[in-house]
Amino acid sequence: MTRANLNWKQLGFGYMKTNHNIRYIWKDGAWDAGTLHAEDVLPMHMAATCLHYGQEIFEGLKVFAQKNGDITMFRADENARRMNRSAEKVFMQQVPEELFLDAIARVVRANWEYVPPYGTGASLYVRALLIGTGAQIGVKPADEYTFLVFVMPVGPYFKSGFEPIRLVVEEEFDRAAPNGVGDIKVGGNYAAGLRGSVKARAAGYTEALYLDAREKKYIEESGPANFFGITKDGQYVTPHSPSILPSITNMSLVQIAEDMGMRPVRRPVPVEEIFDFVDAGTCGTAAVITPVKSIAYRDREAVYCNGTQPGEYCAKLYQQLVAIQLGEVPDVYGWNRKITPP
Ligand code: PLP
Ligand code: COI
C-alpha cells in the first residue's frame, strides 16, 4: 500500500486526523466487538463520569516500520497491563489484554498508509483511551465504559528532537501525592502537572522536574517522562518512587543498560545528586530518550553537555533502543509484535 503524502521528517508531536479510530463499549457486563469510526468527535452523555469525576485513563505506544518492511508495535502487552493497573485503581472496567492488542492491530490496519516509512525517524503514535461514559451524578464508578484507540504519525515530542533540553526542579507545585495516583496514567495527573510545566516554560526551560511531595528531597520525574542520571563510574540510576509512572521505555533502558554493563539501579535519588551525574536524560514513548543539557535547582545549575550534542551515555542508549525498535539488531527479548497487513 502506498504511504500518505506527508513530510515525514518534519513531523512534530501533534494531533493529526487519520482514517479511522476504533471504539468498544462495555455495558451490561460485556465488551462489544468494537467498530471503526471515521469521525473524530465523540457523542457523550453530559453526566459521563470521565467528564466530572476523572474516570479517564490512557496509554501511549508506538508502531514502527522496521528495516525488513514489517510493521510492529513496541511492547504493547506492557501498555495493556499498565492500563489495567490504572483501571483497577480508579475503579474502571478492565480491558482484556487480547482485546487491547487486537484493537491496536485493527486500527493500524485501517490507517496503514500513515505508518511512517523506515528511515524517516518518525513513527505511528497510538493513543488508547478508557473512559467512564455511563451517566452518574453521585461520586461512584460508571456502569458503562468506552475504550477508544486512535493513531497519528509523529516526530519528536520536544521541538528540539534529540537535542538536549533544559529542566528546572519544581519545588512549589507537586505532580502527585505519595499514596495517590501518580503511578497510573490517569488524566488528572497531567492537569496537576500543568502548573509546573507552564511555569517552567515561562522561565525559559523546556520542562519541570518534580520532587517527591512528602519531603521535597528526592527526584521523581518530569511531566511526560521518567528521569535517569549516569554516575561518574557509568552507572544508570533512575528514581524509585511510588508516585511516578512505571515507564515502559525506562524498563527497556534498564535492560539495555544492564546488557551494556551499566549496572542499572532504581533507588531514591536525592536532588543534590544532579550535581554528581555526568549525563542525564528523560525517557518515555513520546520523548524516546531526550537528553538533558542542564538542570536548574535553586541558584545553581547542573550542566551535562554543551551546545546541541547529547552526552555519550544518552547517545549510546538511544541508538540501541531505536535499533531494537526498528529491527536493525536482533530483538532478543521479543519486544516487537508484528501487525499483519490489511
Ligand atoms: N511518566 C509520565 C508521567 C508519562 O506520561 C509517561 C508517558 O507515557 C512516561 C513517564 C513514560 O512512560 P512510557 O515509557 O511507558 O511511555
Ligand atoms: C507518552 O509518552 O506516550 C505519553 O503518554 C506522554 C504524553 C503526556 C505525551
Side-chain angles (χ1 to χ4, degrees), residues 13 58-62 79 82 125-127 157 185 190 223-225 245 249 283-288:
F13 192 86
F58 68 98
E59 279 299 326
L61 63 107
K62 279 178 173 169
N79 293 89
R82 188 170 66 188
Y125 185 71
V126 178
R127 179 53 67 91
Y157 183 75
K185 232 167 142 54
Y190 299 81
L245 191 78
T249 313
C283 62
T285 297
V288 194

Side-chain angles (χ1 to χ4, degrees), residues 30 67 80 101 191 199 222 255 259 266 288:
K67 195 174 178 189
L101 297 172
K199 183 177 152 195
S222 175
Q255 183 63 59
D259 297 344
R266 286 181 195 276
V288 194

Side-chain angles (χ1 to χ4, degrees), residues 256-312:
I256 291 169
E258 175 79 42
D259 297 344
M260 288 180 166
M262 292 172 69
R263 300 164 294 121
V265 57
R266 286 181 195 276
R267 59 163 170 79
V269 180
V271 60
E272 291 77 22
E273 214 173 318
I274 59 172
F275 298 106
D276 298 332
F277 290 139
V278 295
D279 197 357
T282 60
C283 62
T285 297
V288 194
I289 289 181
T290 304
V292 174
K293 180 189 176 98
S294 59
I295 306 175
Y297 176 52
R298 300 188 176 164
D299 54 357
R300 294 174 69 196
E301 192 156 43
V303 178
Y304 306 108
C305 52
N306 287 321
T308 57
Q309 275 303 95
E312 77 172 283

Side-chain angles (χ1 to χ4, degrees), residues 83-143:
M83 176 164 264
N84 283 335
R85 290 200 300 273
S86 297
E88 197 177 357
K89 258 199 157 169
V90 287
F91 290 90
M92 297 174 68
Q93 185 57 42
Q94 298 197 3
V95 174
E97 191 173 320
E98 280 314 307
L99 189 155
F100 185 97
L101 297 172
D102 193 46
I104 296 168
R106 286 173 72 185
V107 78
V108 171
R109 276 197 284 276
N111 293 286
W112 203 253
E113 66 266 40
Y114 287 100
V115 180
Y118 171 77
T120 57
S123 54
L124 189 76
Y125 185 71
V126 178
R127 179 53 67 91
L129 197 63
L130 179 62
I131 52 181
T133 37
Q136 215 57 272
I137 204 65
V139 182
K140 50 184 178 233
D143 54 10

